[in-house]
Amino acid sequence: ACGRAQPPPLQATLLATLPPICPTPDGLAIDADGQLVVACPNYMDQAKPACLVKVNPTSLAVTPWVDVPVLAETGVSCPMGIDFGPDGDLYVCDNQAWKGTPQGQFKGRLLRLKIQGNRVARTTVVAEGMEHPNGVRVHKGFLYVTQSLMSKVKDPSGLMLSAVYRFPADASAIRVGNTLSDPNILATFLTENRFCQYGSDGLVFDSKGNLFVGNFGDGKLYKLTFD
């Protein structure tokens, strides 16, 4: 810009190699000790239990942490987006439908895990029945969750709708209907790319409380501001 030479692109370097128990890494979060926590839904090999692993910030050693509680009807768990609450509990998007099997359709969950040491001491199902829960962020007492597909909603354009849901952080057993009548919907998005009908995915808050949401299919970012 303005005639100045552009700096060369940065060269990425390997941080850590994950062990065989984690063939499919997905969501990331930093715990209170500064360790990187990785959610492993293991879609590539669901014979391996879906788990959480930790990466030490100093030694970069990767260690198993806990397995994510399975859904009884499917026998698997599928942790994608994760985030820690202020009390240290971990919120997990369990995207049962990602592999496209009939057994997992509309069986997605938002879980709250109280983890003590290296075991799950308590599991709370915050919301259930979701079609495609993907990313989660905790902000000022609420949980913001992307739902990447809402196939029950038939938009006149024929395009796929996706959404951001908002739940109280201390809620439990919220039943999601996956339609526009769901009272927890905060915002909706249409994916215009007809060749990749997949919508809201990653999300994050900035220091001013604005919410940024990525639309996977369109390669777009949205900024949501609150009054």
Side-chain angles (χ1 to χ4, degrees), residues 24-27 39-43 45-46 48-51 77-80:
T24 314
D26 193 88
C40 308
N42 294 343
Y43 295 118
D45 183 2
Q46 289 197 300
K48 293 180 170 63
C51 62
S77 57
C78 306
M80 293 185 71

Side-chain angles (χ1 to χ4, degrees), residues 39 111 194:
L111 304 178
R194 295 182 181 274

Side-chain angles (χ1 to χ4, degrees), residues 9 34 76 100 114 117 166 195 211:
V76 298
K114 179 170 288 297
R166 179 170 62 185
F195 299 100
L211 178 61

Side-chain angles (χ1 to χ4, degrees), residues 6-189:
Q6 296 297 306
L10 297 175
Q11 178 64 48
T13 57
L14 180 66
L15 177 70
T17 299
L18 299 176
I21 63 169
C22 183
T24 314
D26 193 88
L28 304 169
I30 303 294
D31 72 6
D33 297 324
Q35 296 192 90
L36 175 65
V37 177
V38 185
C40 308
N42 294 343
Y43 295 118
M44 290 295 295
D45 183 2
Q46 289 197 300
K48 293 180 170 63
C51 62
L52 304 172
V53 301
K54 286 188 174 184
V55 181
N56 185 281
T58 303
S59 67
L60 301 183
V62 181
T63 56
W65 191 21
V66 297
D67 290 346
V68 177
V70 303
L71 178 65
E73 295 97 307
T74 62
V76 298
S77 57
C78 306
M80 293 185 71
I82 56 176
D83 199 21
F84 285 97
D87 60 355
D89 286 0
L90 184 67
Y91 294 90
V92 179
C93 286
D94 178 21
N95 193 336
Q96 292 279 331
W98 179 263
K99 291 199 75 174
T101 61
Q103 294 83 0
Q105 191 174 24
F106 300 107
K107 296 288 180 62
R109 305 179 293 172
L110 178 62
L111 304 178
R112 179 180 183 176
L113 305 182
K114 179 170 288 297
I115 302 173
Q116 297 177 339
N118 293 321
R119 69 180 186 90
V120 178
R122 184 174 69 239
T123 302
T124 302
V125 179
V126 177
E128 57 190 338
M130 300 186 75
E131 183 169 7
H132 256 265
N134 198 325
V136 59
R137 284 291 179 264
V138 184
H139 184 70
K140 294 186 176 180
F142 287 93
L143 311 172
Y144 295 79
V145 180
T146 53
Q147 171 136 271
S148 303
L149 296 176
M150 295 184 71
S151 61
K152 289 184 179 181
V153 180
K154 305 303 180 184
D155 189 80
S157 66
L159 299 173
M160 180 64 70
L161 198 78
S162 63
V164 171
Y165 280 66
R166 179 170 62 185
F167 306 108
D170 59 354
S172 63
I174 296 175
R175 186 72 188 176
V176 174
N178 304 287
T179 70
L180 295 180
S181 63
D182 284 343
N184 298 99
I185 291 179
L186 174 69
T188 60
F189 311 86

